[in-house]
Amino acid sequence: MGRYLARRLLQFIPVVVGTMFLLHYMTMLSIQFGGDPIRALFGDNPPPAQVIEAMRARFGLDNGCLEQKGNPCVGIFWDRMLQYLQFDFGINFRGREITDLVGERWPVTLRLTLIAIIFETIVGVILGVMAGLRKDKFVDNFVRFSTTLLIAFPTFVFGVIIQVLVALALGDWIKAQDYFPTWFKAMFTPVFLSDYPWLSLVIPGLVLGAFSLAAIARLTRTSLIENLRSDYVRTARAKGLAQRRVIGVHTLRNSLIPVVTYIGIDVGTLLGGALVTERIFNIPGVGGLVFQSVTQKDSTVVIAVVTMLTLVFLTANLIVDVFYAVLDPRIRYE
Amino acid sequence: MSDPAMSLQEGPPAEQTEPAKDANRSLWGDAWYELKRNPIFWVASTMAIFVILLAVFPFLWTNADPSTCRLANSREKPSADHWFGYTFQGCDMWAKVVYGASKSLAVAALATTFTTIIGITMGTLAGFFPGWVDTIISRVTDIFFGLPFLLGAVVFLQLFQIRNVWTITTVLTLLGWTTLTRIMRGSVLSTKNKDYVDAARALGATNGHIVFKHILPNAIAPVFVLSTIALGGYIGAEATLTFLGVGFQQPNTTWGLLIQEGQPYALQGDPHLLVIPCAFVVVTVLAFILLGDALRDALDPRNR
Amino acid sequence: MTETTIESKRGTENEVLANLPWDANAPLLEVDNLQVEFHTRDGVAKAINGVSFTLDAGETLGILGESGCGKSVTAQAIMGILDIPPAKITGGSIKLNGVDLLQLDEKTRRHVRANKIAIIFQDALSALNPVFTVGWQLAELYRKHSGASRAQAKAKAVDLLKLVRIPAAEQRVNAFPHQFSGGMRQRVMIAMALALEPDIIIADEPTTALDVTVQAQVMQLLADLQKSQNMGLILITHDMGVVADVVDKITVMYAGDAVERADVYQIYERPAHPYTKALLESIPRVDMKGQELAAIKGLPPPLTQLPPGCSFQPRCRFAKDRCTTEDPPLYDVPGNRKSACHYWEEVFNS
Ligand SMILES: Nc1ncnc2c1ncn2[C@@H]1O[C@H](COP(=O)(O)OP(=O)(O)OP(=O)(O)O)[C@@H](O)[C@H]1O
Ligand SMILES: [Mg+2]
């Protein structure tokens, strides 16, 4: 295990640096080819040239290499990395520390993604197991049909429709009934309520997790069916074990290994999806911050926040890989 | 949404167990035989062809001009004359949806083509040449993979002042090629060790001959399955990006823009402004997912 | 867990089995006219069409035949671990000391497995669960069948590993299957089969996945243990060479039929079925070096479309018109043997 961990950590560092550089280089290219974000900020109505110059200097955009198309601007990258190491992610166009902005908002996004992960994993695995155990029966066909349909809904489409249907139509009806407690009504609101920091995130969380739920259900199903055919499951039956144990202990654990890997990758999907969900339901989280900054053309914030989220994603993957090794000894002893 | 293709990947790529000589022919021949018998394939193809026809020949489907709008008609509900009603600006919704197909589909088709080409090339190189070629390609793939799809797309696209089919396609391609590369690499690796490849090598075939005659035809199946599904995924991705304000901009007509525009009015009691463009996105994505699924089932000998 | 609970648990387990109407005078295992079908997309595959044999305690029966002739299906039918569907047992009986296993409900049947009949599979690497230690997988049998505590079960697992001659058993018990060599893994499988001291062990090609040198060791181990514990052993193989020194009697299978039954020396001396004869001729012998092997020409028929009459007839050099129309019954052959060939005398005397 120790050797595996060491090797995994050694791989982690170049990937982090590489991904950071990729993000940086593509940003540089976009600026070099797409134009100056400061000028874009003001649109048709630019302030005096000195003001623009001053702002450029302040956001490190006065560097000459931004004029040379294709130049990777390694110097800028180096400075940025050093700043990131000191938890300095810069300031937004209004002069606020980006770390402060994120600090205020990340608990909301964390709650949202937690709800999504818990929901998608539990329901997804249960559906997948039910379908896999009854291959080609009604349950299986139903799960396959509904997950295919769910996957066809991009998160934002699903979100806006759920918002109209559940949070508004059903929500209005629920609000009109006296016998529902307030907390229950809070669950069916189309927006975030700071008095109900968990409950008002339930529906957005379900929306966020819906796509991955379908993917997890399908993955669990295939993997379970595959494992049910395996030789070691046949051995377990030959050992005279009860069917429940054959499936619960000998099949399920092996079948969940790919699901665990998927959940690691899925953190990336969810962080991206949080952008969409938080915009739809007006949730003041990190995704909402990105969206707001996109609207205000505050690209410094967008880049900094996405950098942080990418780091979160890479770290989550690292943790999942460790967990993976715990589940699968073949990896651990490689 | 994440990289659409990846989320749908299930289990290892299809193993080909067919014997040496006519492995390719029987693989694809059998697949076609299976496809023909699958009703889902026909339903999905019909849906896909319908959308493609909308995109390529919009004028065949409507006389109305999507850009002649009269504010008097604003938010008019669907009626017998105009089944789909009018948009906020008073444009004919049907005409808007018909003309909106082309840009969405163009982006998706281009991104699929490019990612597939890159994926097949890089995956084959990495799988066929172990050693430094494989190492470099795999590490670069890891790095691109480290950037979550939607987050990456938002960062890059928001930096462009003008966004058109090409900018969006470029960004989707840059972020989307990794999955196909990985799949192709795995598939090539498993095909490479098949007996018929060894046999060809023993007979002194050149690398090029082995790759093009023996490996590619057999290893490419899982990539096609995933590309088909990804095409639907890119339609969803483009609409998502547009909805977030980093995709197409007004005065273009695309499904994503129609949804973005319709969302606030749906909340105020005009659901058709939202539901109709959403339905088009969903049906299109669904068509390609079902096509890919049908193709996978047909190509996967384990299901026979 | 205390001794008493172990006893009581063991008691309930044994009760299930003890309550069955065992007949001490009946043969240990008697398979009669077993028939198994597979319902596949290509139609119904008749994998087993009336296989019969008996086995007594301390005896070794070899089941021989080409790949795909239904040896493993027979073994799995006896164990009761066929996947139903696609499999379906359409006829016959499998009697263990007079009790027809096919009539038992799944709950009772489950106790027969491992307690009464155990199986060793061909490929030990895939037959062992990759995510549990070898010791855990062995101990599980004691924990679930005899109610032993974890510690007790583990101690027994170490004993088992010693029994199958695995060196440093105390340490190896904590290792995972992939950390063992092929031969060692197959020994673990043997240990697993022996754990609950069953009356019968079925070994389904236990050595095909191993190196030749290791094969002999594993075979020897299996034979020794069988003799010392007086078990019945069914040895499945497609290699005539392997069986010669180990087995007492042989059942030869072809395309789902048991085509010949006899003692091993009888078969080697004078086969009474053309297929057995052909099999024997295909064994490479030292004195035949340099000569061409008399391999059997052609392939077995597809099980979904068995030809009318004798299924070996298309490949048979003794075949006559009658063979294409009339399915041969099992003829009695002198020496208490059986042969499913109309012209067995011709083969016998050739
Ligand atoms: N799950 C299944 N579905 C369909 N057909 C099956 C299945 N399992 C076995 N069969 C069929 O039953 C026949 C007998 O198979 P079996 O595994 O018993 O062969 P075998 O004699 O053990 O061969 P080998 O020496 O290769 O192990 C085969 O022809 C196979 O096609
Ligand atoms: Mg077998």
Side-chain angles (χ1 to χ4, degrees), chain A residues 234, chain C residues 37-40 45-48 64-76 82-83 85-87 122 204-205 236-238 253 256 301-303:
Chain A
R234 197 179 52 185
Chain C
E37 289 175 359
F38 283 97
H39 292 252
T40 65
K46 300 197 163 187
I48 309 284
L64 257 151
E66 270 170 293
S67 188
C69 70
K71 306 181 297 286
S72 301
V73 172
T74 308
Q76 288 174 27
L82 279 172
D83 285 314
Q122 173 177 345
D204 189 353
E205 309 195 23
I236 294 177
T237 175
H238 53 228
M253 287 186 63
L303 297 173

Side-chain angles (χ1 to χ4, degrees), chain A residues 137 227-243 245-246 248-251 253-254 257 326-334, chain C residues 76 79-83 110-111 113-114 117-119 121 123 126-132 136-138 140-141 143-145 176 178-179 189 192 196:
Chain A
K137 299 277 164 53
N227 278 307
L228 280 174
R229 287 188 201 149
S230 72
D231 284 359
Y232 55 81
V233 168
R234 197 179 52 185
T235 308
R237 281 197 285 150
K239 282 163 94 176
L241 301 174
Q243 183 70 2
R245 191 172 171 86
V246 171
V249 177
H250 286 268
T251 320
R253 172 155 170 189
N254 300 281
I257 292 174
V326 171
L327 279 179
D328 192 343
R330 284 165 297 185
I331 305 290
R332 195 166 7 164
Y333 289 94
E334 229 169 42
Chain C
Q76 288 174 27
M79 284 303 291
I81 54 173
L82 279 172
D83 285 314
R110 159 164 102 68
H111 292 300
R113 302 204 265 274
I117 313 179
I119 188 165
F121 293 111
D123 180 4
S126 59
L128 290 167
N129 195 321
V131 304
F132 297 113
W136 188 94
Q137 296 186 54
L138 291 172
E140 188 182 27
L141 282 162
R143 292 205 289 123
K144 292 301 145 189
H145 285 284
F176 288 92
H178 71 273
Q179 296 171 300
M189 283 304 290
M192 193 176 280
L196 301 178

Side-chain angles (χ1 to χ4, degrees), chain B residues 20-299:
Chain B
K21 266 275 192 55
D22 44 5
N24 337 339
R25 189 173 4 112
S26 73
L27 176 70
W28 295 101
D30 287 1
W32 174 234
Y33 174 78
E34 290 285 323
L35 273 183
K36 275 193 300 193
R37 302 200 310 177
N38 187 348
I40 292 182
F41 168 72
W42 292 110
V43 174
S45 326
T46 313
M47 280 160 36
I49 289 172
F50 166 66
V51 175
I52 292 171
L53 287 179
L54 279 189
V56 182
F57 307 110
F59 43 87
L60 290 182
W61 301 85
T62 174
N63 296 323
D65 179 353
S67 52
T68 45
C69 311
R70 284 189 299 136
L71 270 179
N73 292 333
S74 175
R75 293 160 74 176
E76 200 164 285
K77 294 248 172 14
S79 64
D81 285 350
H82 293 266
W83 288 1
F84 288 24
Y86 285 89
T87 67
F88 177 65
Q89 277 111 12
C91 320
D92 182 55
M93 180 60 103
W94 170 240
K96 278 278 189 190
V97 178
V98 168
Y99 279 89
S102 68
K103 286 222 165 58
S104 306
L105 216 67
V107 166
L110 287 172
T112 308
T113 313
F114 292 145
T115 49
T116 308
I117 292 174
I118 299 177
I120 289 175
T121 316
M122 301 290 254
T124 309
L125 285 176
F128 196 72
F129 298 108
W132 63 268
V133 178
D134 181 27
T135 311
I136 291 179
I137 293 179
S138 297
R139 289 296 84 78
V140 172
T141 319
D142 285 350
I143 287 172
F144 272 79
F145 212 73
L147 201 55
F149 189 81
L150 193 55
L151 294 178
V154 167
V155 169
F156 304 138
L157 284 172
Q158 55 107 20
L159 286 165
F160 287 97
Q161 259 93 77
I162 309 290
R163 291 179 294 265
N164 53 29
V165 171
W166 293 105
T167 39
I168 299 176
T169 303
T170 309
V171 169
L172 292 185
T173 307
L174 267 174
L175 294 166
W177 62 277
T178 48
T179 314
L180 289 175
T181 303
R182 284 185 172 185
I183 297 292
M184 188 67 193
R185 174 175 174 273
S187 186
V188 167
L189 276 178
S190 70
T191 313
K192 203 171 73 168
N193 296 325
K194 291 275 152 64
D195 289 343
Y196 52 86
V197 176
D198 288 343
R201 204 186 300 274
L203 292 174
T206 60
N207 276 347
H209 180 83
I210 291 178
V211 167
F212 286 104
K213 281 271 154 12
H214 297 281
I215 294 189
L216 274 184
N218 289 294
I220 220 162
V223 172
F224 277 176
V225 171
L226 232 59
S227 298
T228 312
I229 295 177
L231 196 114
Y234 287 127
I235 290 191
E238 177 275 311
T240 306
L241 292 168
T242 302
F243 177 76
L244 285 175
V246 292
F248 287 108
Q249 296 139 308
Q250 303 283 4
N252 278 309
T253 302
T254 72
W255 293 342
L257 279 173
L258 286 172
I259 298 177
Q260 186 198 40
E261 210 180 275
Q263 193 216 0
Y265 306 109
L267 298 180
Q268 292 162 21
D270 281 317
H272 76 277
L273 294 180
L274 179 67
V275 171
I276 291 166
C278 281
F280 274 80
V281 171
V282 171
V283 166
T284 312
V285 178
L286 187 63
F288 287 102
I289 291 178
L290 290 178
L291 263 185
D293 267 3
L295 195 58
R296 183 204 327 261
D297 288 349
L299 283 166

Side-chain angles (χ1 to χ4, degrees), chain C residues 140-198:
Chain C
E140 188 182 27
L141 282 162
Y142 295 113
R143 292 205 289 123
K144 292 301 145 189
H145 285 284
S146 346
S149 71
R150 274 168 200 273
Q152 289 166 327
K154 187 148 177 198
K156 288 193 152 199
V158 175
D159 291 345
L160 270 182
L161 291 182
K162 285 181 180 156
L163 182 69
V164 294
R165 300 175 204 155
I166 287 185
E170 281 88 355
Q171 286 91 55
R172 306 292 286 195
V173 79
N174 292 321
F176 288 92
H178 71 273
Q179 296 171 300
F180 282 71
S181 70
M184 290 290 166
R185 269 197 293 267
Q186 200 51 279
R187 281 161 199 259
V188 172
M189 283 304 290
I190 294 177
M192 193 176 280
L194 287 169
L196 301 178
E197 297 170 12

